[in-house]
Amino acid sequence: MDAIKEFFGVGGYKRTPEGYMSWQHLLFVSAFMVLMVTLAVLLGRRNRNKDEKTKNKVIAVAAIVLLVLKAMEMTVPCIKEGSARPLLINLPLFLCSIQMIALPLAAFSKGRLKEAALDFVFIFGILGAVMGTYGAGQNFNAYPILSFDNILSVLSHSLAGFASLYIAISGLTSMKTKNIWITFVILCSFCILAYIANVLIPYNYMFLMNHDGTPYVIFYNLVNGSRVFYPMIVVGLFLLYVSVFYLVYFFIRKRKQRSAEKGA
């Protein structure tokens, strides 16, 4: 019973966290990354030449599992504390949490909305997986490696990364220029909601108020923690990332088309 309580952190963890960027942290998250990439490659290659319905089944399962993980992430802390207070700091308002909405839309919606959702998961899934595992200083400095909080967090981030790679490898991406504005709208809407929540709670959703031990510390220190310029830089980086991602994708696709034409 004590071991179970310690795993879930009931009453607080007694073990000392191994620490951010410790060998335990790197080994732990790397194991999940290897599994994520392996599954994405195997399933993506297997389904690449199959119909859209077959390809979509994998995304549907991933979406359902992610919803379950996120529901646990939001409710288990409330159960541990015996109050609804932890729910305020577990709202789906982090960048990786957007996948909680984007992935089900990618799996179960249709038409242009489905295309945009698939592209959104493709663009941000890998980024969220890396930032939420290798870059999660706020978690690995606070919790022991083998703990409920870390395992759940790494699982959900890895799943988003898996979905991103699978979408690319299986050929589910559309990456149409006419859908770029939808990606920007989704992203900016979440940033606005996150900032409002940060002011009202207060908290640090989307890391708009503080770097919280993440690589954003570079930009936080650059502007001396300005409450105006720091959030603007973070949002600007998100938008820049999307723009660069599209440019690189179109560049690679164009080169492949040219190579195919020369080969023909």
Side-chain angles (χ1 to χ4, degrees):
M1 184 60 70
D2 289 339
I4 294 174
K5 286 183 177 180
E6 175 62 15
F7 174 76
F8 284 98
V10 178
Y13 292 104
K14 296 178 182 178
R15 289 171 292 159
T16 302
E18 290 81 354
Y20 177 56
M21 287 297 169
S22 64
W23 69 266
Q24 295 95 331
H25 165 214
L26 295 177
L27 178 63
F28 180 69
V29 299
S30 294
F32 277 92
M33 291 298 101
V34 169
L35 180 61
M36 172 196 82
V37 172
T38 302
L39 285 175
V41 171
L42 290 176
L43 292 174
R45 288 172 64 89
R46 188 191 70 179
N47 293 340
R48 185 168 182 82
N49 297 318
K50 296 184 179 180
D51 58 89
E52 297 297 310
K53 186 177 180 180
T54 301
K55 293 179 182 180
N56 196 70
K57 286 180 181 178
V58 175
I59 296 298
V61 172
I64 293 170
V65 173
L66 183 62
L67 287 173
V68 171
L69 291 174
K70 287 296 182 183
M72 292 173 65
E73 194 174 287
M74 295 169 66
T75 57
V76 170
C78 296
I79 296 171
K80 287 197 295 185
E81 282 199 18
S83 74
R85 185 176 58 181
L87 188 61
L88 293 176
I89 61 173
N90 284 292
L91 297 172
L93 290 175
F94 282 110
L95 180 62
C96 53
S97 302
I98 305 178
Q99 303 294 354
M100 182 179 176
I101 296 172
L103 191 53
L105 283 176
F108 303 112
S109 63
K110 294 181 179 180
R112 194 169 176 183
L113 180 59
K114 184 180 185 68
E115 289 178 350
L118 282 167
D119 290 347
F120 192 94
V121 175
F122 172 48
I123 293 169
F124 282 104
I126 288 295
L127 178 65
V130 174
M131 292 293 290
T133 55
Y134 289 103
Q138 75 282 9
N139 277 1
F140 288 96
N141 278 332
Y143 312 126
I145 298 295
L146 296 178
S147 63
F148 174 80
D149 292 276
N150 273 335
I151 291 175
L152 190 63
S153 177
V154 172
L155 269 174
S156 60
H157 284 92
S158 298
L159 186 60
F162 159 80
S164 175
L165 283 176
Y166 173 79
I167 287 170
I169 297 170
S170 66
L172 280 172
T173 54
S174 64
M175 295 295 283
K176 295 177 181 176
T177 53
K178 67 178 182 179
N179 292 332
I180 295 177
W181 70 271
I182 301 178
T183 300
F184 281 118
V185 168
I186 294 172
L187 184 58
C188 290
S189 297
F190 268 85
C191 286
I192 292 170
L193 290 173
Y195 191 83
I196 292 171
N198 289 337
V199 172
L200 295 178
I201 293 176
Y203 198 54
N204 190 32
Y205 287 115
M206 301 282 275
F207 302 105
L208 293 175
M209 312 306 280
N210 198 299
H211 60 84
D212 206 8
T214 65
Y216 289 123
V217 64
I218 299 170
F219 305 100
Y220 187 85
N221 291 337
L222 188 66
V223 295
N224 295 318
S226 170
R227 292 292 183 177
V228 176
F229 293 113
Y230 173 69
M232 290 175 64
I233 290 174
V234 173
V235 176
L237 287 171
F238 292 151
L239 299 178
L240 178 63
Y241 170 76
V242 175
S243 301
V244 171
F245 195 101
Y246 267 98
L247 287 173
V248 171
Y249 180 85
F250 291 144
F251 175 75
I252 293 173
R253 187 168 68 179
K254 201 168 204 180
R255 290 200 64 177
K256 284 185 177 180
Q257 288 174 348
R258 286 178 179 174
S259 297
E261 290 172 359
K262 286 181 181 179

